[in-house]
Amino acid sequence: MPQLNGGDDLGANDEMISFKDEGEQEEKISENSSAERDLADVKSSLVNESETNQNSSSDSEAERRPPPRSETFRDKTRESLEEAAKRQDGGLFKSPPYPGYPFIMIPDLTSPYLPNGSLSPTARTYLQMKWPLLDVQPGGLQSRQALKDARSPSPAHIVGPFCWEFPGQFHLSNKVPVVQHPHHVHPLTPLITYSNEHFTPGNPPPHLQTDVDPKTGIPRPPHPPDISPYYPLSPGTVGQIPHPLGWLVPQQGQPVYPITTGGFRHPYPTALTVNASMSSLLSSRFPPHMVPPHHSLHTTGIPHPAIVTPNVKQESSHSDISSLNSSKQTDAKKEEEKKKQVHIKKPLNAFMLYMKEMRAKVVAECTLKESAAINQILGRRWHALSREEQAKYYELARKERQLHMQLYPGWSARDNYAANQQGKRKKRKREKQQAESNEHREYFPNPCLSLPPITDLSAPKKCRARFGLDQQNNWCGPCRRKKKCIRYIQGEGSCASPPSTDGSLLDSPPLSPSSAVPSPSSKESKPQTEQMQPLSLTMKPAHQPLHHPHLLAGPPPPSLAQLENSAAAGKTPGASHNGALEHGDVSSSRQPGSSVASSLARPSASLCHSHSLIPSTAPQPLSLVTKSIE
DNA sequence: GCTCCTTTGAAGCGT
DNA sequence: ACGCTTCAAAGGAGC
């Protein structure tokens, strides 16, 4: 696993990437080669940290976290945000025990696996320990009120820190809950974390006795007390230990991983995605009372949301009747499954988890509906995340994989691959990429967006695609190591992520509420540089403006708000509006060969190259480009 | 009704 | 070991 600057761990890197005051960014950039550091390595280190920490105690997530950084702009911003949020929500959603959270995680109120039910005593105890402000008595008035409040569209529970990027659209959050799903569930369930209590022999849940190995029918031994309540088991030990979730399944007939016979497009409970802490995130998927009807069971006997049987719609009902009937139908179901070939989906990776969590927020903030556009925004935000924040999702993803491995020891991604290959599907990607490489269309960033670059996003973005295998000497280091292309990141970051006024790079703090995308009314007066996200400034060549089609074309690039609003207008982001976009730089085009876009982009073919091929070029804040607009 | 789009990351397959 | 490809989520759009 690549290490940064001498194998520093996350914590060390955390210091290295510390969120500096904006004023010192520029000189840091110039004097420190870390500005060009390998983002892939950063991410790798995140994963590495996640893996290396997997054996660490999981019951004290806060303790594992690095101590609060020295107060910085970002911290101040966050603190103020959190304080504001606390004031707003009355403390219901307490800030995670984790300094530097840019937002307050809200439990997924809609997980279908969280029917209105009471927390188990152990779970409640755990809540009391980790979430003193969430000490809600199960089924009590307080919990009901909390649920009601949490469901309420009141901005007190929705807005606040979530809108720090879109203060101008603050009100939008009032319209749409942070997380919207068809099923409303107990809001606190996501906060229920695994506790050793659940697996301690001396303190098994009442239903633990029913924990029987689904394969062998032999009751499983109690969970070893020394086993982490998460997923501490190595894959090799899978199957030799009791499944940490096994005790959940028989209890109420509602699988934690809600399996239905129907095409379940939401296989993994989104409870995982919105959390109050990382530890609670994953565990939230397996609350004891969240066992949906056993419409289908995996061979392991443990239902899993990742299991999808095609061509059958999901039954949303969680009635007890269905639960009772489920046992009778099990045999028939199994037979059906054999026919239908149960589809176990892949575990979500870090970014997918992030997307699931943040999608609703982006939808609410941007009034976007197109997933493609939303994903682009999320992709940029993902890059803008701090290492800490990303690490959270890497950790979650790791646990997801471990859980998945435990649930389906024999499963392989190849299964899905093969299944689809047999069916039909997908070849286009390869064809498309080939076509793109032939056209050699250039990735051309729009500096003002968190939306897609102006040109076709499907254009080659990475060194591999850009230079080809025969020009690997032109590749960036990460690409050579099969890591994330830093040039692509730089280019994309500079395009998509708004820079701070000082030109800070990765280290730059996220947008403060005041610097977030302004409302349509305020965007005019707001310096665009303040609308940009942290990654944006990466090594923008000073001469780039000269090559920038935006400048060549004349019209200024649209602002983030403009673009997002344009996307919200119902068209593909960037398809309308001013500047180069109107010159045919239609993003997300399904026609890779979009002529005008290509022709406009082609002059800048060396744009992204210039970032890296001319490393001596003094990085220049992208803001210089965008400022000229005004 | 199926596929595409769009993102990142994980993993499988082929060389 | 490396490169390429697919799949995971999401939902509107297009065919």
Side-chain angles (χ1 to χ4, degrees):
Chain A
M1 192 62 77
Q3 296 293 333
L4 289 175
N5 295 343
D8 52 341
D9 57 14
L10 181 61
N13 263 332
D14 210 29
E15 295 302 321
M16 182 188 71
I17 310 176
S18 62
F19 305 102
K20 308 165 191 66
D21 291 330
E22 293 184 351
E24 65 187 41
Q25 285 294 329
E26 211 159 342
E27 76 178 62
K28 278 287 182 183
I29 295 167
S30 59
E31 72 181 7
N32 193 347
S33 62
S34 65
E36 301 177 356
R37 73 185 142 69
D38 186 345
L39 261 188
D41 287 351
V42 174
K43 291 189 175 181
S44 297
S45 67
L46 289 178
V47 177
N48 188 34
E49 185 231 17
S50 172
E51 293 175 352
T52 54
N53 285 343
Q54 62 181 312
N55 290 329
S56 63
S57 173
S58 57
D59 59 350
S60 59
E61 195 69 32
E63 295 176 2
R64 286 197 308 151
R65 297 294 174 191
R69 299 183 299 271
S70 59
E71 191 172 77
T72 62
F73 169 81
R74 186 176 195 170
D75 289 335
K76 289 176 181 176
T77 300
R78 286 176 173 171
E79 288 174 2
S80 61
L81 287 172
E82 291 169 1
E83 289 178 2
K86 288 175 184 176
R87 288 195 297 268
Q88 287 181 329
D89 64 17
L92 176 61
F93 296 106
K94 189 180 182 181
S95 301
Y98 174 5
Y101 254 52
F103 43 75
I104 294 178
M105 309 294 277
I106 292 184
D108 185 356
L109 311 181
T110 60
S111 169
Y113 320 108
L114 303 177
N116 290 334
S118 60
L119 301 175
S120 69
T122 54
R124 182 156 50 85
T125 301
Y126 194 61
L127 275 177
Q128 289 173 340
M129 294 172 59
K130 296 198 69 175
W131 301 94
L133 295 185
L134 292 175
D135 181 17
V136 180
Q137 297 303 316
L141 183 62
Q142 191 178 0
S143 64
R144 296 176 190 275
Q145 184 61 40
L147 173 59
K148 180 181 178 182
D149 292 343
R151 292 174 177 175
S152 169
S154 168
H157 305 293
I158 296 170
V159 297
F162 297 102
C163 298
W164 57 274
E165 281 186 307
F166 300 90
Q169 300 178 348
F170 209 78
H171 60 285
L172 294 177
S173 294
N174 296 351
K175 299 177 181 177
V176 183
V178 170
V179 177
Q180 284 188 321
H181 290 294
H183 310 287
H184 279 182
V185 294
H186 198 295
L188 300 180
T189 307
L191 300 177
I192 303 172
T193 56
Y194 280 144
S195 169
N196 280 330
E197 286 183 87
H198 295 137
F199 312 108
T200 301
N203 190 18
H207 46 275
L208 186 57
Q209 278 93 7
T210 60
D211 182 14
V212 178
D213 187 290
K215 286 184 177 179
T216 63
I218 300 172
R220 288 170 162 173
H223 197 288
D226 57 338
I227 292 180
S228 167
Y230 291 116
Y231 310 86
L233 302 174
S234 64
T237 61
V238 171
Q240 299 177 2
I241 52 94
H243 193 283
L245 306 176
W247 58 273
L248 297 174
V249 177
Q251 185 183 19
Q252 296 183 7
Q254 186 177 22
V256 223
Y257 272 47
I259 306 319
T260 69
T261 55
F264 191 62
R265 199 138 190 206
H266 213 87
Y268 279 63
T270 52
L272 173 67
T273 65
V274 184
N275 69 344
S277 71
M278 186 153 65
S279 62
S280 64
L281 253 179
L282 189 69
S283 59
S284 65
R285 297 174 60 170
F286 315 102
H289 55 285
M290 298 307 308
V291 185
H294 291 181
H295 295 296
S296 71
L297 290 174
H298 185 254
T299 53
T300 60
I302 302 173
H304 194 292
I307 299 178
V308 174
T309 54
N311 302 329
V312 181
K313 294 297 183 181
Q314 176 195 6
E315 296 181 14
S316 59
S317 172
H318 299 283
S319 64
D320 294 337
I321 297 175
S322 61
S323 300
L324 297 174
N325 292 336
S326 64
S327 60
K328 297 178 180 178
Q329 300 172 351
T330 301
D331 293 340
K333 294 288 183 181
K334 288 182 179 178
E335 293 178 359
E336 292 179 0
E337 289 173 3
K338 289 179 181 178
K339 296 177 182 178
K340 294 177 180 177
Q341 191 177 12
V342 175
H343 181 73
I344 301 173
K345 294 192 175 184
K346 295 172 63 175
L348 303 186
N349 62 35
F351 179 69
M352 287 293 146
L353 293 171
Y354 172 76
M355 282 213 315
K356 288 196 76 171
E357 177 179 327
M358 301 301 294
R359 173 179 298 279
K361 297 172 187 174
V362 173
V363 170
E365 292 164 348
C366 306
T367 64
L368 286 174
K369 289 184 177 179
E370 285 188 65
S371 292
I374 294 171
N375 291 348
Q376 288 178 342
I377 295 173
L378 289 171
R380 281 150 181 75
R381 290 192 184 186
W382 172 255
H383 287 298
L385 285 180
S386 68
R387 295 190 67 213
E388 279 182 352
E389 292 157 351
Q390 285 192 353
K392 179 185 70 173
Y393 294 98
Y394 282 114
E395 173 73 5
L396 277 175
R398 181 185 63 79
K399 292 172 180 176
E400 281 284 323
R401 291 194 299 274
Q402 288 187 348
L403 172 64
H404 199 275
M405 277 192 301
Q406 292 183 6
L407 292 177
Y408 319 109
W411 180 87
S412 169
R414 171 176 48 181
D415 300 342
N416 295 359
Y417 178 87
N420 284 328
Q421 291 299 311
Q422 291 176 357
K424 32 191 165 182
R425 203 171 169 175
K426 288 199 177 176
K427 223 177 189 178
R428 49 185 173 82
K429 213 162 194 175
R430 186 186 213 167
E431 298 169 353
K432 188 181 76 173
Q433 289 180 352
Q434 288 176 345
E436 288 168 351
S437 60
N438 291 337
E439 291 194 32
H440 204 272
R441 287 178 301 107
E442 184 51 49
Y443 166 80
F444 183 69
N446 183 334
C448 298
L449 317 179
S450 64
L451 281 180
I454 296 173
T455 56
D456 192 332
L457 278 180
S458 58
K461 300 170 183 176
K462 297 171 179 159
C463 297
R464 179 193 308 156
R466 180 166 297 128
F467 297 105
L469 298 177
D470 54 342
Q471 298 183 39
Q472 294 191 23
N473 58 329
N474 288 331
W475 290 17
C476 64
C479 274
R480 294 188 197 126
R481 296 193 299 273
K482 201 180 175 182
K483 301 295 183 182
K484 183 181 294 298
C485 177
I486 58 175
R487 291 171 184 169
Y488 167 63
I489 291 170
Q490 288 170 352
E492 182 162 24
S494 62
C495 305
S497 300
S500 57
T501 53
D502 61 272
S504 55
L505 297 180
L506 256 187
D507 318 353
S508 62
L511 294 178
S512 66
S514 61
S515 64
V517 176
S519 64
S521 60
S522 63
K523 64 186 176 185
E524 294 297 322
S525 59
K526 199 77 176 179
Q528 291 201 359
T529 55
E530 294 184 8
Q531 304 172 10
M532 301 193 160
Q533 294 174 356
L535 278 176
S536 58
L537 285 186
T538 24
M539 308 302 292
K540 178 95 176 175
H543 62 276
Q544 180 166 339
L546 299 177
H547 299 263
H548 202 297
H550 284 156
L551 299 180
L552 295 174
S559 67
L560 171 62
Q562 287 173 325
L563 266 292
E564 290 186 346
N565 286 336
S566 73
K571 280 300 165 190
T572 302
S576 60
H577 271 291
N578 56 14
L581 296 179
E582 293 179 349
H583 289 73
D585 283 337
V586 179
S587 66
S588 305
S589 172
R590 286 191 180 184
Q591 310 301 328
S594 219
S595 57
V596 180
S598 299
S599 61
L600 283 178
R602 201 163 288 124
S604 66
S606 61
L607 231 179
C608 291
H609 301 185
S610 61
H611 292 210
S612 45
L613 295 180
I614 311 177
S616 60
T617 301
Q620 183 169 344
L622 188 58
S623 58
L624 293 180
V625 177
T626 58
K627 277 180 177 176
S628 62
I629 298 167
E630 299 298 326

